Amino acid sequence: MPTATLTSEFPDPSAVASQPELLVSAALHLMSHYSTQAREGGPCLKLASVIERHLKALASLPQLAPVLQGTCSQLAEQWAMHIEQASPAVRPTLLTRMLNGARN
C-alpha cells in the first residue's frame, strides 16, 4: 500500500487547539507515518519533532482530562529524547576546539 507523501509544511498545532480531537487525530496520523518511514528508510527527525510539538500542544490544553494531559506530556518527553539521540553529532568548530585545548 503506497503511503502519502508528506509536505514540508506541517499545520501549526496551536491553530487547532480549540478542537483537541483534530490535534489528537493529527498526532496519531503523524505517528503512523513516522512508523512507516522508519521501516522504509530510517527515521525522519523533522517528522519526529512535529509529533513532539503536537504532543506538547495537547499536554497544555486545559480542556483535556488530566490523564490524557499526563500521557501526552510523557510521550512528548520520550519523543524529545528520541530526537536528541537520533540527531547527527555536531562536530565542534575550530574555535570550540581551540578553547577546549586551551583549558586542558
Side-chain angles (χ1 to χ4, degrees):
M1 175 174 94
T3 59
T5 356
L6 296 173
T7 63
S8 61
E9 299 280 331
F10 292 107
D12 183 14
S14 61
V16 291
S18 62
Q19 299 174 329
E21 298 84 11
L22 289 176
L23 196 53
V24 170
S25 178
L28 292 173
H29 180 77
L30 291 168
M31 287 179 192
S32 174
H33 275 290
Y34 184 87
S35 174
T36 302
Q37 280 191 342
R39 277 181 269 145
E40 292 176 358
C44 174
L45 294 179
K46 184 173 183 177
L47 184 54
S49 39
V50 173
I51 292 168
E52 179 198 9
R53 192 171 70 221
H54 276 68
L55 290 168
K56 281 183 178 179
L58 279 165
S60 68
L61 293 178
Q63 66 264 40
L64 286 186
V67 69
L68 188 52
Q69 285 179 326
T71 300
C72 290
S73 180
Q74 287 176 350
L75 286 172
E77 289 174 17
Q78 290 175 8
W79 278 96
M81 286 186 340
H82 171 69
I83 293 164
E84 186 177 316
Q85 291 171 352
S87 295
V90 178
R91 293 186 63 205
T93 64
L94 177 61
L95 178 60
T96 305
R97 289 189 306 239
M98 289 173 53
L99 289 174
N100 286 339
R103 292 182 190 152
N104 292 334

Coordinates of all heavy atoms in Angstrom, one line a residue:
M1 N 0.8 -1.2 0.0 CA 0.0 0.0 0.0 C 0.9 1.2 0.0 O 1.7 1.4 0.9 CB -0.9 0.0 1.2 CG -1.7 1.2 1.4 SD -2.9 1.0 2.8 CE -1.9 1.8 4.1
P2 N 0.7 2.1 -1.0 CA 1.6 3.3 -1.0 C 1.2 4.3 0.1 O 0.1 4.4 0.5 CB 1.3 3.9 -2.4 CG 0.0 3.3 -2.9 CD -0.2 2.0 -2.1
T3 N 2.2 5.0 0.6 CA 1.9 6.0 1.6 C 1.9 7.4 1.0 O 2.5 7.6 0.0 CB 3.0 5.9 2.7 OG1 4.3 6.2 2.1 CG2 3.1 4.6 3.4
A4 N 1.2 8.2 1.6 CA 1.1 9.6 1.1 C 2.4 10.3 1.3 O 3.1 10.1 2.3 CB -0.1 10.3 1.8
T5 N 2.7 11.2 0.4 CA 4.0 12.0 0.6 C 3.7 13.1 1.6 O 2.6 13.7 1.5 CB 4.4 12.6 -0.7 OG1 3.6 12.1 -1.8 CG2 5.8 12.2 -1.0
L6 N 4.6 13.3 2.4 CA 4.4 14.4 3.4 C 5.0 15.7 2.8 O 6.1 15.7 2.2 CB 5.1 14.1 4.7 CG 4.6 12.9 5.4 CD1 5.5 12.5 6.6 CD2 3.2 13.1 5.9
T7 N 4.3 16.7 3.0 CA 4.8 18.0 2.5 C 5.7 18.6 3.6 O 5.7 18.2 4.7 CB 3.6 19.0 2.3 OG1 3.0 19.2 3.5 CG2 2.6 18.5 1.2
S8 N 6.5 19.6 3.2 CA 7.4 20.2 4.1 C 6.6 21.2 5.1 O 7.2 21.6 6.1 CB 8.5 21.0 3.4 OG 7.9 22.0 2.6
E9 N 5.4 21.5 4.8 CA 4.6 22.4 5.6 C 3.7 21.6 6.5 O 2.8 20.9 6.0 CB 3.7 23.3 4.7 CG 4.5 24.2 3.8 CD 5.1 25.4 4.5 OE1 4.5 25.9 5.5 OE2 6.2 25.9 4.1
F10 N 3.9 21.6 7.8 CA 3.0 20.9 8.7 C 2.1 21.9 9.4 O 2.5 23.1 9.7 CB 3.9 20.2 9.8 CG 4.7 19.1 9.2 CD1 6.0 19.2 9.1 CD2 4.1 17.9 8.8 CE1 6.8 18.1 8.6 CE2 4.8 16.8 8.3 CZ 6.1 16.9 8.2
P11 N 0.9 21.6 9.7 CA 0.0 22.5 10.3 C 0.5 22.8 11.7 O 1.0 22.0 12.4 CB -1.4 21.8 10.4 CG -1.0 20.3 10.2 CD 0.3 20.3 9.4
D12 N 0.3 24.1 12.1 CA 0.7 24.5 13.4 C -0.3 24.0 14.4 O -1.5 24.2 14.3 CB 0.7 26.0 13.5 CG 1.1 26.6 14.8 OD1 1.7 25.8 15.6 OD2 0.9 27.8 15.0
P13 N 0.1 23.2 15.5 CA -0.8 22.6 16.4 C -1.6 23.6 17.2 O -2.7 23.4 17.6 CB 0.1 21.8 17.4 CG 1.5 22.2 17.1 CD 1.5 22.9 15.7
S14 N -1.1 24.9 17.4 CA -1.9 25.9 18.1 C -3.1 26.3 17.3 O -4.1 26.8 17.8 CB -1.0 27.0 18.4 OG -0.5 27.6 17.3
A15 N -3.1 26.1 16.0 CA -4.2 26.5 15.1 C -5.4 25.6 15.4 O -6.5 26.1 15.1 CB -3.8 26.5 13.6
V16 N -5.2 24.4 15.8 CA -6.3 23.5 16.0 C -6.5 23.2 17.5 O -7.2 22.3 17.9 CB -6.2 22.2 15.3 CG1 -6.3 22.4 13.8 CG2 -4.9 21.5 15.6
A17 N -5.9 24.0 18.4 CA -6.0 23.8 19.8 C -7.4 23.9 20.3 O -7.8 23.3 21.4 CB -5.1 24.8 20.6
S18 N -8.3 24.7 19.6 CA -9.7 24.8 20.1 C -10.5 23.5 19.8 O -11.6 23.3 20.3 CB -10.3 26.0 19.4 OG -10.4 25.8 18.0
Q19 N -9.9 22.6 19.0 CA -10.5 21.3 18.6 C -9.6 20.2 18.9 O -8.9 19.7 18.0 CB -11.0 21.3 17.2 CG -12.0 22.4 16.8 CD -12.3 22.4 15.4 OE1 -11.4 22.1 14.5 NE2 -13.5 22.8 15.0
P20 N -9.5 19.8 20.2 CA -8.5 18.8 20.6 C -8.6 17.5 19.8 O -7.5 16.8 19.6 CB -8.7 18.6 22.1 CG -9.9 19.3 22.4 CD -10.3 20.2 21.3
E21 N -9.7 17.1 19.4 CA -9.9 15.9 18.6 C -9.1 15.9 17.3 O -8.5 14.9 16.9 CB -11.4 15.6 18.3 CG -12.3 15.4 19.5 CD -12.8 16.7 20.1 OE1 -12.6 17.8 19.4 OE2 -13.3 16.7 21.2
L22 N -9.0 17.1 16.7 CA -8.2 17.2 15.4 C -6.7 17.1 15.7 O -6.0 16.5 15.0 CB -8.5 18.6 14.8 CG -9.9 18.8 14.1 CD1 -10.0 20.2 13.6 CD2 -10.1 17.8 13.0
L23 N -6.3 17.7 16.9 CA -4.9 17.6 17.2 C -4.5 16.1 17.6 O -3.5 15.7 17.2 CB -4.6 18.5 18.4 CG -3.2 18.9 18.7 CD1 -2.5 19.4 17.5 CD2 -3.2 19.9 19.8
V24 N -5.4 15.4 18.3 CA -5.1 14.0 18.6 C -5.1 13.2 17.3 O -4.2 12.4 17.1 CB -6.2 13.4 19.5 CG1 -6.1 11.9 19.6 CG2 -6.2 14.1 20.9
S25 N -6.0 13.5 16.4 CA -6.1 12.8 15.1 C -4.8 13.0 14.3 O -4.2 12.1 13.8 CB -7.3 13.2 14.3 OG -7.3 12.6 13.1
A26 N -4.4 14.3 14.3 CA -3.1 14.6 13.5 C -1.9 14.0 14.1 O -1.1 13.4 13.4 CB -3.0 16.2 13.5
A27 N -1.8 14.0 15.5 CA -0.7 13.3 16.1 C -0.6 11.8 15.8 O 0.4 11.3 15.5 CB -0.7 13.6 17.6
L28 N -1.8 11.2 15.9 CA -1.8 9.7 15.6 C -1.4 9.5 14.1 O -0.7 8.5 13.8 CB -3.2 9.2 15.9 CG -3.5 9.1 17.4 CD1 -5.0 8.7 17.6 CD2 -2.6 8.2 18.2
H29 N -1.9 10.3 13.3 CA -1.6 10.2 11.8 C -0.1 10.3 11.6 O 0.5 9.6 10.9 CB -2.4 11.2 11.0 CG -2.2 11.2 9.6 ND1 -2.8 10.2 8.8 CD2 -1.5 12.0 8.8 CE1 -2.3 10.4 7.5 NE2 -1.6 11.5 7.5
L30 N 0.5 11.4 12.2 CA 1.9 11.6 12.1 C 2.7 10.4 12.6 O 3.7 10.0 12.0 CB 2.3 12.9 12.7 CG 1.8 14.2 12.1 CD1 2.0 15.4 13.0 CD2 2.4 14.4 10.7
M31 N 2.3 9.9 13.8 CA 3.0 8.7 14.3 C 2.9 7.5 13.4 O 3.9 6.8 13.3 CB 2.4 8.4 15.7 CG 2.7 9.3 16.8 SD 1.9 8.8 18.3 CE 2.2 10.2 19.3
S32 N 1.8 7.3 12.8 CA 1.7 6.2 11.8 C 2.6 6.4 10.6 O 3.3 5.5 10.2 CB 0.2 6.2 11.3 OG 0.1 5.2 10.3
H33 N 2.7 7.6 10.1 CA 3.6 7.9 9.0 C 5.1 7.7 9.5 O 5.9 7.2 8.7 CB 3.4 9.3 8.5 CG 2.4 9.4 7.4 ND1 2.5 8.9 6.2 CD2 1.1 10.0 7.5 CE1 1.4 9.1 5.5 NE2 0.5 9.7 6.3
Y34 N 5.4 8.1 10.7 CA 6.7 8.0 11.2 C 7.1 6.5 11.2 O 8.2 6.1 10.8 CB 6.9 8.6 12.6 CG 8.3 8.6 13.1 CD1 9.2 9.6 12.8 CD2 8.7 7.5 13.9 CE1 10.5 9.6 13.3 CE2 10.0 7.5 14.3 CZ 10.9 8.5 14.0 OH 12.2 8.5 14.5
S35 N 6.2 5.7 11.7 CA 6.5 4.3 11.8 C 6.7 3.7 10.5 O 7.6 2.9 10.3 CB 5.3 3.6 12.5 OG 5.4 2.2 12.5
T36 N 5.9 4.1 9.5 CA 6.1 3.6 8.1 C 7.4 4.0 7.5 O 8.1 3.2 6.9 CB 4.9 4.1 7.2 OG1 3.7 3.6 7.8 CG2 5.1 3.6 5.8
Q37 N 7.8 5.3 7.7 CA 9.0 5.8 7.2 C 10.2 5.2 7.8 O 11.2 4.9 7.2 CB 9.1 7.3 7.3 CG 8.3 8.1 6.3 CD 8.6 9.5 6.3 OE1 9.2 10.1 7.3 NE2 8.3 10.2 5.3
A38 N 10.1 4.9 9.1 CA 11.2 4.3 9.8 C 11.5 2.9 9.3 O 12.7 2.5 9.2 CB 10.9 4.2 11.3
R39 N 10.5 2.2 8.9 CA 10.7 0.9 8.3 C 11.3 0.9 6.9 O 12.0 0.1 6.5 CB 9.4 0.1 8.3 CG 9.1 -0.6 9.6 CD 7.8 -1.4 9.5 NE 6.8 -0.4 9.9 CZ 5.5 -0.4 9.4 NH1 5.2 -1.2 8.5 NH2 4.7 0.5 9.8
E40 N 10.9 2.0 6.2 CA 11.3 2.1 4.8 C 12.7 2.7 4.6 O 13.4 2.3 3.7 CB 10.3 2.9 4.0 CG 8.9 2.1 3.9 CD 7.9 2.9 3.2 OE1 8.1 4.1 2.8 OE2 6.8 2.4 3.0
G41 N 13.0 3.7 5.4 CA 14.2 4.4 5.1 C 14.9 5.1 6.2 O 15.7 6.0 6.1
G42 N 14.5 4.7 7.4 CA 15.1 5.4 8.6 C 14.3 6.5 9.1 O 13.3 7.0 8.5
P43 N 14.6 6.9 10.3 CA 13.8 7.9 11.0 C 13.9 9.3 10.3 O 14.9 9.7 9.8 CB 14.3 8.0 12.4 CG 15.7 7.4 12.3 CD 15.7 6.5 11.2
C44 N 12.8 10.0 10.4 CA 12.7 11.4 9.9 C 12.6 12.3 11.1 O 11.6 12.4 11.8 CB 11.5 11.6 9.0 SG 11.3 13.3 8.4
L45 N 13.7 13.0 11.4 CA 13.8 13.9 12.5 C 12.8 15.1 12.5 O 12.3 15.5 13.5 CB 15.2 14.4 12.8 CG 16.2 13.3 13.1 CD1 17.6 13.9 13.3 CD2 15.8 12.6 14.4
K46 N 12.5 15.5 11.3 CA 11.6 16.7 11.1 C 10.2 16.2 11.5 O 9.5 16.9 12.3 CB 11.6 17.2 9.7 CG 10.7 18.4 9.5 CD 10.8 18.9 8.1 CE 10.0 20.2 8.0 NZ 10.2 20.8 6.7
L47 N 9.8 15.0 11.1 CA 8.5 14.4 11.4 C 8.4 14.1 12.9 O 7.4 14.4 13.5 CB 8.3 13.2 10.6 CG 6.9 12.5 10.7 CD1 5.8 13.4 10.5 CD2 6.8 11.3 9.8
A48 N 9.5 13.6 13.5 CA 9.5 13.4 14.9 C 9.4 14.7 15.7 O 8.7 14.7 16.7 CB 10.8 12.7 15.3
S49 N 10.0 15.7 15.3 CA 9.8 17.0 16.0 C 8.4 17.6 15.9 O 7.9 18.2 16.8 CB 10.9 18.0 15.7 OG 11.2 18.0 14.4
V50 N 7.8 17.3 14.8 CA 6.4 17.8 14.6 C 5.5 17.0 15.5 O 4.6 17.5 16.2 CB 5.9 17.6 13.1 CG1 4.4 17.9 13.0 CG2 6.7 18.6 12.3
I51 N 5.7 15.7 15.7 CA 5.0 14.8 16.6 C 5.2 15.3 18.0 O 4.2 15.5 18.8 CB 5.4 13.4 16.5 CG1 5.0 12.8 15.1 CG2 4.8 12.5 17.6 CD1 5.6 11.5 14.7
E52 N 6.4 15.6 18.4 CA 6.7 16.1 19.7 C 5.9 17.4 20.0 O 5.3 17.7 21.0 CB 8.2 16.4 19.9 CG 8.5 16.9 21.3 CD 9.9 17.6 21.4 OE1 10.5 17.8 20.3 OE2 10.3 18.0 22.5
R53 N 5.9 18.3 19.0 CA 5.2 19.6 19.1 C 3.7 19.4 19.3 O 3.1 20.1 20.1 CB 5.5 20.5 17.9 CG 5.1 21.9 18.1 CD 5.6 22.8 17.0 NE 4.9 22.5 15.7 CZ 5.5 22.4 14.5 NH1 6.8 22.7 14.4 NH2 4.8 22.2 13.5
H54 N 3.1 18.5 18.5 CA 1.7 18.2 18.7 C 1.4 17.7 20.1 O 0.4 18.1 20.7 CB 1.3 17.1 17.6 CG 0.9 17.7 16.3 ND1 1.9 18.3 15.5 CD2 -0.2 17.8 15.7 CE1 1.3 18.7 14.4 NE2 0.0 18.4 14.5
L55 N 2.3 16.8 20.6 CA 2.0 16.2 21.9 C 2.2 17.3 23.0 O 1.4 17.3 24.0 CB 3.0 15.0 22.2 CG 2.7 13.8 21.3 CD1 3.9 12.8 21.4 CD2 1.4 13.1 21.8
K56 N 3.1 18.2 22.9 CA 3.3 19.3 23.8 C 2.0 20.2 23.8 O 1.6 20.6 24.8 CB 4.5 20.1 23.5 CG 5.8 19.5 24.0 CD 6.9 20.5 23.6 CE 8.3 19.9 24.1 NZ 9.4 20.9 23.8
A57 N 1.5 20.4 22.6 CA 0.3 21.3 22.5 C -0.9 20.6 23.2 O -1.6 21.2 23.9 CB 0.0 21.6 21.0
L58 N -1.0 19.3 23.0 CA -2.1 18.5 23.6 C -1.9 18.6 25.1 O -2.9 18.7 25.8 CB -2.1 17.1 23.1 CG -2.8 16.9 21.8 CD1 -2.4 15.5 21.2 CD2 -4.3 17.0 21.9
A59 N -0.7 18.4 25.6 CA -0.5 18.4 27.1 C -0.8 19.7 27.7 O -1.2 19.7 28.9 CB 1.0 18.0 27.3
S60 N -0.8 20.8 26.9 CA -1.1 22.1 27.5 C -2.5 22.5 27.4 O -2.9 23.6 27.9 CB -0.2 23.1 26.9 OG -0.6 23.3 25.5
L61 N -3.4 21.7 26.8 CA -4.8 22.0 26.7 C -5.5 21.8 28.0 O -5.6 20.7 28.5 CB -5.4 21.2 25.5 CG -5.0 21.5 24.1 CD1 -5.7 20.6 23.1 CD2 -5.2 23.0 23.8
P62 N -6.1 22.9 28.5 CA -6.8 22.7 29.8 C -8.1 21.9 29.7 O -8.5 21.3 30.7 CB -7.1 24.2 30.2 CG -7.1 24.9 28.9 CD -6.1 24.2 28.0
Q63 N -8.7 21.8 28.5 CA -9.9 21.0 28.4 C -9.7 19.5 28.3 O -10.7 18.8 28.4 CB -10.8 21.5 27.2 CG -10.2 21.3 25.9 CD -9.4 22.5 25.3 OE1 -8.7 23.2 26.0 NE2 -9.5 22.7 24.0
L64 N -8.5 19.1 28.2 CA -8.2 17.6 28.2 C -8.3 17.1 29.6 O -7.9 17.7 30.6 CB -6.9 17.3 27.6 CG -6.8 17.4 26.1 CD1 -5.4 16.9 25.7 CD2 -7.8 16.7 25.4
A65 N -8.6 15.8 29.7 CA -8.6 15.1 31.0 C -7.2 15.0 31.5 O -6.3 14.9 30.7 CB -9.2 13.7 30.9
P66 N -7.0 15.1 32.8 CA -5.6 15.1 33.4 C -4.8 13.9 32.9 O -3.6 14.0 32.7 CB -5.8 15.1 34.9 CG -7.2 15.8 35.1 CD -8.0 15.4 33.9
V67 N -5.5 12.7 32.9 CA -4.7 11.5 32.5 C -4.2 11.6 31.0 O -3.1 11.2 30.7 CB -5.6 10.3 32.7 CG1 -6.7 10.2 31.7 CG2 -4.7 9.0 32.6
L68 N -5.0 12.2 30.1 CA -4.6 12.4 28.8 C -3.5 13.5 28.7 O -2.5 13.3 27.9 CB -5.8 12.8 27.9 CG -5.5 12.9 26.4 CD1 -4.9 11.6 25.9 CD2 -6.8 13.1 25.7
Q69 N -3.6 14.6 29.5 CA -2.5 15.6 29.5 C -1.2 14.9 30.0 O -0.2 15.2 29.4 CB -2.9 16.7 30.5 CG -4.0 17.7 29.9 CD -4.3 18.7 30.9 OE1 -4.3 18.5 32.1 NE2 -4.6 19.9 30.4
G70 N -1.3 14.1 31.0 CA -0.1 13.5 31.5 C 0.5 12.5 30.5 O 1.8 12.5 30.3
T71 N -0.3 11.8 29.8 CA 0.2 10.8 28.8 C 0.9 11.6 27.7 O 2.0 11.2 27.2 CB -1.0 10.0 28.3 OG1 -1.5 9.2 29.3 CG2 -0.5 9.0 27.2
C72 N 0.3 12.7 27.2 CA 0.8 13.5 26.1 C 2.2 14.1 26.6 O 3.1 14.2 25.8 CB -0.2 14.5 25.7 SG -1.6 13.8 24.8
S73 N 2.2 14.6 27.8 CA 3.4 15.2 28.3 C 4.6 14.1 28.4 O 5.7 14.4 28.0 CB 3.2 15.7 29.7 OG 4.3 16.3 30.2
Q74 N 4.3 12.9 28.9 CA 5.3 11.9 28.9 C 5.7 11.5 27.5 O 6.9 11.3 27.3 CB 4.7 10.7 29.7 CG 4.6 10.9 31.2 CD 4.0 9.7 31.9 OE1 3.5 8.8 31.2 NE2 4.0 9.7 33.2
L75 N 4.8 11.4 26.6 CA 5.2 11.0 25.3 C 6.0 12.1 24.6 O 6.9 11.8 23.9 CB 3.9 10.7 24.4 CG 3.2 9.4 24.7 CD1 1.9 9.3 24.0 CD2 4.1 8.2 24.4
A76 N 5.7 13.3 24.8 CA 6.4 14.4 24.3 C 7.9 14.4 24.8 O 8.8 14.6 24.0 CB 5.8 15.8 24.7
E77 N 8.1 14.0 26.0 CA 9.4 13.9 26.6 C 10.2 12.7 25.9 O 11.4 12.8 25.6 CB 9.4 13.7 28.1 CG 9.0 14.9 28.9 CD 8.8 14.7 30.4 OE1 9.3 13.6 30.9 OE2 8.2 15.5 31.0
Q78 N 9.5 11.6 25.7 CA 10.1 10.5 25.1 C 10.5 10.8 23.6 O 11.5 10.4 23.2 CB 9.2 9.3 25.1 CG 9.0 8.7 26.5 CD 8.0 7.6 26.6 OE1 7.5 7.1 25.6 NE2 7.6 7.1 27.8
W79 N 9.6 11.5 22.9 CA 9.9 11.9 21.5 C 11.1 12.8 21.5 O 12.0 12.8 20.7 CB 8.7 12.5 20.8 CG 7.8 11.5 20.3 CD1 6.7 11.0 20.9 CD2 7.9 10.8 19.1 NE1 6.1 10.0 20.1 CE2 6.8 9.9 19.0 CE3 8.8 10.8 18.0 CZ2 6.7 9.0 17.9 CZ3 8.6 10.0 16.9 CH2 7.6 9.1 16.8
A80 N 11.2 13.8 22.5 CA 12.3 14.7 22.6 C 13.6 13.9 22.8 O 14.7 14.2 22.1 CB 12.1 15.7 23.7
M81 N 13.6 12.9 23.6 CA 14.8 12.1 23.9 C 15.2 11.3 22.6 O 16.4 11.2 22.2 CB 14.6 11.1 25.0 CG 14.6 11.8 26.4 SD 14.6 10.7 27.8 CE 13.9 9.2 27.3
H82 N 14.2 10.8 21.9 CA 14.4 10.1 20.7 C 15.1 11.0 19.6 O 16.0 10.6 19.0 CB 13.1 9.5 20.1 CG 13.2 8.9 18.8 ND1 13.9 7.8 18.5 CD2 12.7 9.4 17.6 CE1 13.8 7.5 17.2 NE2 13.1 8.5 16.6
I83 N 14.6 12.2 19.5 CA 15.1 13.2 18.6 C 16.5 13.5 18.9 O 17.4 13.5 18.0 CB 14.2 14.5 18.5 CG1 12.9 14.2 18.0 CG2 14.9 15.6 17.8 CD1 11.8 15.2 18.3
E84 N 16.8 13.7 20.2 CA 18.2 14.1 20.6 C 19.1 12.9 20.3 O 20.2 13.1 19.8 CB 18.2 14.4 22.1 CG 19.5 14.8 22.6 CD 19.4 15.2 24.1 OE1 18.4 15.8 24.5 OE2 20.3 14.8 24.8
Q85 N 18.7 11.7 20.6 CA 19.6 10.5 20.3 C 19.8 10.3 18.8 O 20.8 9.8 18.4 CB 19.0 9.3 21.0 CG 19.0 9.3 22.5 CD 18.2 8.2 23.1 OE1 17.5 7.4 22.5 NE2 18.3 8.1 24.4
A86 N 18.8 10.6 18.0 CA 18.9 10.3 16.6 C 19.5 11.4 15.8 O 19.9 11.2 14.6 CB 17.5 10.0 16.0
S87 N 19.7 12.6 16.4 CA 20.3 13.7 15.8 C 21.7 13.4 15.5 O 22.4 12.9 16.3 CB 20.1 15.0 16.6 OG 18.8 15.3 16.8
P88 N 22.2 13.8 14.3 CA 23.6 13.6 14.0 C 24.5 14.5 14.9 O 24.1 15.6 15.3 CB 23.7 14.1 12.5 CG 22.5 14.9 12.2 CD 21.5 14.5 13.2
A89 N 25.6 13.9 15.3 CA 26.5 14.6 16.2 C 27.1 15.8 15.5 O 27.4 15.8 14.3 CB 27.6 13.7 16.6
V90 N 27.1 16.9 16.1 CA 27.6 18.2 15.6 C 29.1 18.2 15.9 O 29.5 18.1 17.0 CB 26.9 19.4 16.2 CG1 27.4 20.7 15.6 CG2 25.4 19.3 15.9
R91 N 29.9 18.4 14.8 CA 31.3 18.5 15.0 C 31.6 19.8 15.6 O 31.1 20.9 15.3 CB 32.0 18.4 13.7 CG 31.9 17.0 13.1 CD 32.7 16.9 11.8 NE 34.1 17.0 12.2 CZ 35.0 17.4 11.3 NH1 34.7 17.7 10.1 NH2 36.3 17.6 11.7
P92 N 32.6 19.9 16.6 CA 32.9 21.1 17.2 C 33.6 22.0 16.2 O 34.4 21.6 15.3 CB 33.9 20.7 18.3 CG 34.3 19.3 18.1 CD 33.3 18.7 17.2
T93 N 33.4 23.3 16.3 CA 34.0 24.3 15.4 C 35.5 24.4 15.8 O 35.9 24.0 16.9 CB 33.3 25.6 15.5 OG1 33.5 26.1 16.8 CG2 31.9 25.5 15.2
L94 N 36.2 25.1 14.9 CA 37.6 25.3 15.2 C 37.8 26.1 16.5 O 38.7 25.8 17.3 CB 38.3 26.1 14.0 CG 39.7 26.4 14.2 CD1 40.6 25.2 14.4 CD2 40.2 27.2 13.0
L95 N 37.0 27.1 16.7 CA 37.0 28.0 17.9 C 36.8 27.1 19.1 O 37.5 27.2 20.1 CB 36.0 29.1 17.8 CG 36.0 30.0 19.0 CD1 37.3 30.7 19.2 CD2 34.9 31.1 18.8
T96 N 35.8 26.2 19.1 CA 35.5 25.4 20.2 C 36.7 24.5 20.5 O 37.0 24.3 21.7 CB 34.2 24.6 19.9 OG1 33.1 25.4 19.6 CG2 33.8 23.7 21.1
R97 N 37.2 23.9 19.5 CA 38.4 23.0 19.7 C 39.6 23.8 20.3 O 40.3 23.3 21.2 CB 38.8 22.3 18.4 CG 37.8 21.3 17.9 CD 38.4 20.5 16.8 NE 38.8 21.4 15.7 CZ 38.4 21.4 14.4 NH1 37.5 20.5 14.1 NH2 38.8 22.2 13.6
M98 N 39.8 25.0 19.8 CA 40.9 25.8 20.4 C 40.6 26.2 21.8 O 41.6 26.1 22.6 CB 41.1 27.1 19.5 CG 41.6 26.8 18.1 SD 41.7 28.2 17.1 CE 42.5 29.5 18.0
L99 N 39.4 26.5 22.2 CA 39.1 26.9 23.5 C 39.2 25.7 24.4 O 39.7 25.8 25.6 CB 37.7 27.5 23.6 CG 37.5 28.9 23.0 CD1 36.1 29.3 23.0 CD2 38.4 29.9 23.8
N100 N 38.7 24.5 24.0 CA 38.8 23.3 24.8 C 40.3 22.9 25.0 O 40.7 22.4 26.0 CB 38.0 22.2 24.2 CG 36.6 22.3 24.4 OD1 36.1 23.1 25.3 ND2 35.8 21.7 23.6
G101 N 41.1 23.1 23.9 CA 42.5 22.8 24.0 C 43.2 23.7 25.0 O 44.2 23.3 25.7
A102 N 42.8 25.0 25.1 CA 43.4 25.9 26.0 C 43.1 25.6 27.4 O 43.9 25.9 28.3 CB 42.9 27.3 25.6
R103 N 42.0 25.0 27.7 CA 41.6 24.6 29.0 C 42.3 23.4 29.5 O 42.4 23.2 30.7 CB 40.1 24.4 29.1 CG 39.3 25.7 28.9 CD 37.8 25.4 29.0 NE 37.1 26.5 28.6 CZ 35.9 26.5 28.0 NH1 35.3 25.4 27.9 NH2 35.3 27.6 27.7
N104 N 42.7 22.5 28.7 CA 43.3 21.2 29.1 C 44.8 21.4 29.5 O 45.5 22.2 29.1 CB 43.2 20.2 28.0 CG 41.8 19.8 27.8 OD1 41.0 19.9 28.7 ND2 41.5 19.3 26.6

